[in-house]
Amino acid sequence: MRVLVTGGAGFIGANFVLRTLDQRPDVEVTVLDKLTYAANPVTLAPVAERIDLVKGDIADTDLVDELVAATDLVVHFAAESHNDNSLADPSSFVQTNLVGTFALLEAVRRHGVRYHHISTDEVYGDLDLDDPARFTEASAYNPSSPYSSTKAGSDLLVRAWVRSFGVAATISNCSNNYGPYQHIEKFIPRQITNVLSGVRPKLYGDGLNVRDWIHVDDHNDAVWTIIDKGRIGETYLIGADGEETNRSVVETILEVLGQPADAFDFVTDRPGHDRRYAIDSTRLRSELGWRPQYVDFRSGLSATIDWYRDNTDWWQPHKQAVEQGYATTEKVIG
Ligand code: NAD
Ligand code: DAU
């Protein structure tokens, strides 16, 4: 079986490639990745001989057509993925997340290829802190940011291509991932690498926004479960019951790294900052039998901290530029 993994040099896609090569000897992998700032090809260097790595854009229709024609399955991770960047300049988000997904859908339609679409819980907007509800597959779409609105639009394209053209697709909407190889612009690796660099962690606003954390390996195992057993045309929510305030995540990172629990700064809030995400993954668990392996967030986070401590070569060359970018908009407020 040949799998085309778009965005396979980014955080979740690269973990998917490494895990697939490790666990599925019957699968051959082609990666299509534009190698934007978010990619780190170093991640795939150890498996370079075992994959085809194609540098290219998912919106390049000729290239996509050629690659899709030669594959049995497309797993579509490629995206512009960072909310803060989408607020600064949404254009690449529209181009990659909407136009790029359209190009892939047209190609799988032409060639009759199975397609799995990776998406996010952010398409459902946010919840109040005291709301007992969690997102389900029946929740209404209500995205807040340019990033989440383009992901929502891409999900709707997939649904329409299933219904109108009979494309054999499934969709998954997952909560916040953490784990190795995550770009240091993102919350958890940014704060870990701040502390490792002697810089105080930065919390947006009051630090009480809640995210529902899942280890990247649990996400990718769920993706394979859906590919293997999911019903065509269905959406599955992926989550591991990992709700935490941002402040408690920072306090845990500080504690694990032997720093005082209050050694962080509050900085200006993200415009339109979603308050809380929470996933009810009952469908995935009851229909397909998936269960997360990382049920203790603190130990998964500790292992992730160890990974960044042991792999400074992977992130240190990029740290200064990332922090300089944040410094242009961020002000310490407390
Ligand atoms: P990432 O930013 O780390 O990686 C994205 C990858 O896509 C990069 O390698 C980049 O070079 C590539 N890419 C970007 N534009 C491209 C284009 N036009 N053509 C080809 N390749 C392109 O992102 P991530 O965090 O690994 O997220 C992967 C997917 O998972 C995204 O679709 C995202 O919306 C979704 N998702 C992420 C999370 C999360 O917590 N990170 C949670 C749920 C869903
Ligand atoms: O929910 C899934 C989504 O999770 C994915 O679709 C996105 O691709 C992924 O980036 C992530 O989006 P968030 O906006 O939730 O993640 P981020 O890591 O940017 O921020 C997590 C929380 O931490 C959020 O409440 C903002 C806050 N934050 C972030 C940074 C970078 C801080 O308080 N300080 C920071 O320095």
Side-chain angles (χ1 to χ4, degrees):
M1 181 196 214
R2 178 157 287 278
V3 181
L4 177 64
V5 182
T6 71
F11 165 46
I12 307 175
N15 276 288
F16 180 86
V17 170
L18 296 173
R19 201 162 175 80
T20 298
L21 292 174
D22 198 41
Q23 299 190 337
R24 300 210 166 211
D26 55 319
V27 171
E28 294 176 353
V29 174
T30 301
V31 169
L32 171 59
D33 199 298
K34 193 176 174 183
L35 302 183
T36 69
Y37 83 95
N40 193 338
V42 173
T43 312
L44 295 178
V47 296
E49 304 297 314
R50 298 173 62 198
I51 62 172
D52 287 334
L53 173 55
V54 179
K55 181 181 177 187
D57 192 327
I58 54 165
D60 177 341
T61 49
D62 291 342
L63 175 63
V64 163
D65 190 76
E66 182 190 325
L67 293 173
V68 169
T71 202
D72 303 298
L73 163 71
V74 174
V75 187
H76 176 34
F77 291 93
E80 286 292 339
S81 69
H82 193 35
N83 277 297
D84 292 328
N85 294 344
S86 81
L87 294 160
D89 180 4
S91 55
S92 61
F93 288 74
V94 172
Q95 177 62 23
T96 287
N97 300 356
L98 287 169
V99 179
T101 298
F102 166 65
L104 286 164
L105 285 170
E106 285 291 80
V108 295
R109 173 187 172 202
R110 269 191 300 275
H111 298 289
V113 168
R114 171 85 167 87
Y115 174 90
H116 182 73
H117 185 73
I118 304 291
S119 193
T120 169
D121 57 357
E122 295 192 15
V123 300
Y124 301 113
D126 64 353
L127 299 161
D128 290 334
L129 293 180
D130 59 356
D131 190 338
R134 297 190 291 168
F135 300 135
T136 72
E137 288 78 2
S139 298
Y141 272 46
N142 186 27
S144 313
S145 72
Y147 161 68
S148 54
S149 62
T150 57
K151 291 297 292 187
S154 72
D155 292 9
L156 298 182
L157 291 176
V158 178
R159 290 182 183 198
W161 262 241
V162 169
R163 170 116 182 212
S164 303
F165 305 125
V167 162
T170 39
I171 300 175
S172 53
N173 296 81
C174 188
S175 61
N176 284 64
N177 285 219
Y178 71 96
Y181 306 108
Q182 185 168 27
H183 194 284
I184 56 169
E185 70 187 352
K186 302 294 189 332
F187 176 58
I188 285 182
R190 183 182 182 205
Q191 312 316 337
I192 294 172
T193 56
N194 274 349
V195 179
L196 293 175
S197 308
V199 173
R200 289 163 71 89
K202 304 285 183 270
L203 277 172
Y204 293 173
D206 62 8
L208 297 181
N209 300 63
V210 169
R211 294 295 182 265
D212 188 354
W213 294 100
I214 181 171
H215 193 277
V216 64
D217 287 345
D218 280 333
H219 180 181
N220 283 327
D221 287 351
V223 168
W224 268 117
T225 301
I226 295 164
I227 292 165
D228 288 338
K229 299 196 266 181
R231 284 182 287 138
I232 297 300
E234 286 299 330
T235 289
Y236 295 89
L237 265 54
I238 306 174
D241 302 329
E243 284 187 67
E244 299 279 343
T245 65
N246 293 336
R247 180 176 178 149
S248 81
V249 172
V250 160
E251 287 171 349
T252 305
I253 291 169
L254 286 164
E255 187 202 322
V256 170
L257 288 173
Q259 301 295 315
D262 62 352
F264 58 79
D265 295 326
F266 290 108
V267 296
T268 33
D269 207 355
R270 170 186 286 172
H273 195 176
D274 279 341
R275 198 57 165 156
R276 170 174 162 248
Y277 305 137
I279 289 267
D280 177 349
S281 57
T282 301
R283 171 182 279 180
L284 177 63
R285 295 177 195 227
S286 60
E287 282 186 21
L288 307 187
W290 172 84
R291 294 278 178 285
Q293 303 301 310
Y294 290 81
V295 286
D296 177 20
F297 176 68
R298 189 192 158 86
S299 65
L301 182 58
S302 291
T304 303
I305 293 169
D306 288 345
W307 188 87
Y308 281 92
R309 191 166 34 197
D310 295 344
N311 290 275
T312 49
D313 289 355
W314 189 86
W315 58 267
Q316 233 164 21
H318 312 286
K319 183 67 180 167
Q320 198 184 359
V322 170
E323 290 307 312
Q324 272 171 356
Y326 277 118
T328 60
T329 53
E330 213 169 69
K331 285 198 177 47
V332 175
I333 54 172

